[in-house]
């Protein structure tokens, strides 16, 4: 994914990097538990996984291995006793009922995806690794915002959600944090988040105003309260 590619690009400036994926190694397959012999590594950064909440709900058995179970197999294959293994968790380990979550708050996931992330955290901690818990990560080419901009530019209407809030983390900030935590060989838990949160509707208004698009093309969409309760209204994390 785009996070793994960005981290790899940045770390290549100072480290010898092996990008392990099916594109580079055709005989590598996490889902089939096929791991080629490639030696041992000082640092393992696990970036794979299924992040679509609905997909995890419908396919909890098939997504469990790639979302958390496999890290033990990967560590045993490519790590040694002191290897730093890093994985990314999510604000979905919390219920989303509160506005701000510290890393000391009790985890209370509502979704299967959130429960899988809790299990991922447990597995990584047992391996003396590092969990970076993050909110929504975007880059300058984030598809949803680009699509909105394209539609508004072509005088097409959009309907962004107004009653679900997101805290945005920019990719460069996450990559810089990963690089620093590798440098100091940090283990345990870190959180990264935007400093505030806003709705997708408000973000669309900002995009329209910045580019002088017609605000009348934007209609707020309100999700059913049951969906809000399920997904969690809030996502912002306390920075550590």
């Amino acid at each position: 994914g785009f996070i793994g590619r960005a981290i790899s690009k940045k770390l290549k400036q100072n480290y010898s990097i092996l990008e392990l994926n099916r594109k580079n190694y055709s005989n590598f397959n996490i889902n089939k538990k096929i791991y080629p012999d490639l030696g041992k590594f000082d640092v393992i950064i696990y970036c794979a996984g299924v992040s679509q909440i609905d997909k995890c709900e419908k396919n909890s058995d098939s997504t469990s291995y790639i979302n958390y179970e496999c890290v033990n197999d990967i560590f045993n294959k490519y790590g040694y006793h002191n290897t730093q293994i890093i994985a990314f968790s999510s604000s979905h380990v919390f219920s989303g009922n509160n506005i701000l979550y510290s890393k000391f708050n009790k985890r209370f996931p509502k979704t299967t995806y959130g429960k899988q992330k809790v299990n991922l955290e447990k597995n990584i901690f047992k391996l003396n690794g590092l969990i970076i818990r993050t909110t929504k990560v975007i880059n300058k080419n984030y598809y949803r915002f680009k699509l909105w901009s394209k539609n508004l530019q072509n005088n097409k209407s959009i309907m962004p959600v107004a009653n679900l809030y997101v805290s945005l983390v920019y990719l460069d900030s996450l990559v810089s944090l990963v690089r620093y935590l590798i440098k100091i060989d940090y283990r345990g838990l870190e959180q990264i988040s935007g400093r505030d949160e806003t709705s997708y509707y408000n973000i669309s208004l900002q995009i329209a105003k910045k580019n002088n698009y017609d605000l009348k093309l934007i209609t707020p969409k309100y999700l059913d309260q049951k969906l809000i309760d399920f997904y969690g209204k809030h996502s912002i994390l306390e920075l550590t």
Side-chain angles (χ1 to χ4, degrees):
F2 74 100
I3 293 177
R5 290 192 297 270
I7 292 173
S8 178
K9 182 178 179 181
K10 187 70 172 180
L11 293 182
K12 281 180 179 178
Q13 300 173 8
N14 303 95
Y15 300 95
S16 175
I17 299 294
L18 177 68
E19 294 182 53
L20 186 54
N21 53 53
R22 293 181 66 181
K23 182 179 179 181
N24 295 340
Y25 294 89
S26 59
N27 60 335
F28 173 75
N29 192 311
I30 293 177
N31 286 319
K32 294 182 178 180
K33 303 181 182 181
I34 299 175
Y35 302 108
D37 292 327
L38 298 168
K40 302 290 185 177
F41 298 87
D42 296 317
V43 179
I44 298 170
I45 306 174
Y46 184 69
C47 298
V50 177
S51 59
Q52 296 95 329
I53 293 176
D54 292 342
K55 188 173 183 179
C56 292
E57 290 298 325
K58 296 175 183 177
N59 305 282
S60 60
D61 290 338
S62 62
T63 55
S64 290
Y65 183 73
I66 193 169
N67 275 355
Y68 71 91
E69 293 172 358
C70 68
V71 294
N72 292 310
D73 293 337
I74 290 172
F75 186 87
N76 290 333
K77 182 68 177 181
Y78 300 118
Y80 56 94
H81 73 283
N82 204 36
T83 292
Q84 181 191 35
I85 183 167
I86 302 171
F88 299 94
S89 188
S90 164
S91 56
H92 283 282
V93 299
F94 300 113
S95 67
N97 294 335
N98 299 328
I99 294 178
L100 183 67
Y101 288 95
S102 118
K103 69 179 187 178
F104 303 108
N105 286 133
K106 184 178 180 180
R107 296 167 298 187
F108 190 78
K110 293 181 176 179
T111 64
T112 297
Y113 173 71
K115 293 172 184 176
Q116 290 174 346
K117 285 298 185 182
V118 169
N119 287 327
L120 173 68
E121 292 184 0
K122 291 178 179 178
N123 285 351
I124 293 295
F125 293 150
K126 288 178 181 178
L127 297 171
N128 190 30
L130 167 63
I131 283 288
I132 299 177
R133 193 184 285 156
T134 179
T135 53
K136 182 71 175 180
V137 181
I138 65 168
N139 58 13
K140 62 181 179 180
N141 295 315
Y142 181 50
Y143 74 95
R144 179 174 293 168
F145 299 163
K146 287 192 71 175
L147 179 60
W148 286 349
S149 185
K150 181 179 179 180
N151 285 340
L152 294 172
Q153 186 178 21
N154 293 321
N155 291 314
K156 294 181 179 180
S157 61
I158 62 172
M159 292 184 64
V161 175
N163 58 340
L164 194 65
Y165 294 88
V166 62
S167 181
L168 301 177
V169 170
Y170 289 95
L171 180 60
D172 288 346
S173 297
L174 178 62
V175 172
S176 295
L177 177 63
V178 171
R179 184 181 182 185
Y180 172 72
L181 294 175
I182 290 174
K183 182 179 180 180
I184 65 172
D185 191 27
Y186 189 83
R187 315 292 175 112
L189 172 64
E190 283 293 302
Q191 292 191 160
I192 183 171
S193 170
R195 295 189 178 276
D196 52 20
E197 62 178 6
T198 187
S199 68
Y200 283 111
Y201 173 65
N202 285 335
I203 293 172
S204 70
L205 292 177
Q206 294 174 17
I207 292 173
K209 291 174 181 178
K210 180 179 179 180
N211 295 283
N212 295 315
Y213 297 143
D214 187 356
L215 296 179
K216 294 179 181 179
L217 293 170
I218 306 175
T219 303
K221 176 182 178 181
Y222 292 90
L223 297 181
D224 182 88
Q225 188 59 44
K226 289 183 179 179
L227 279 177
I228 295 296
D229 292 339
F230 178 68
Y231 288 117
K233 185 174 184 177
H234 302 285
S235 65
I236 191 168
L237 300 173
E238 183 179 280
L239 299 175
T240 54

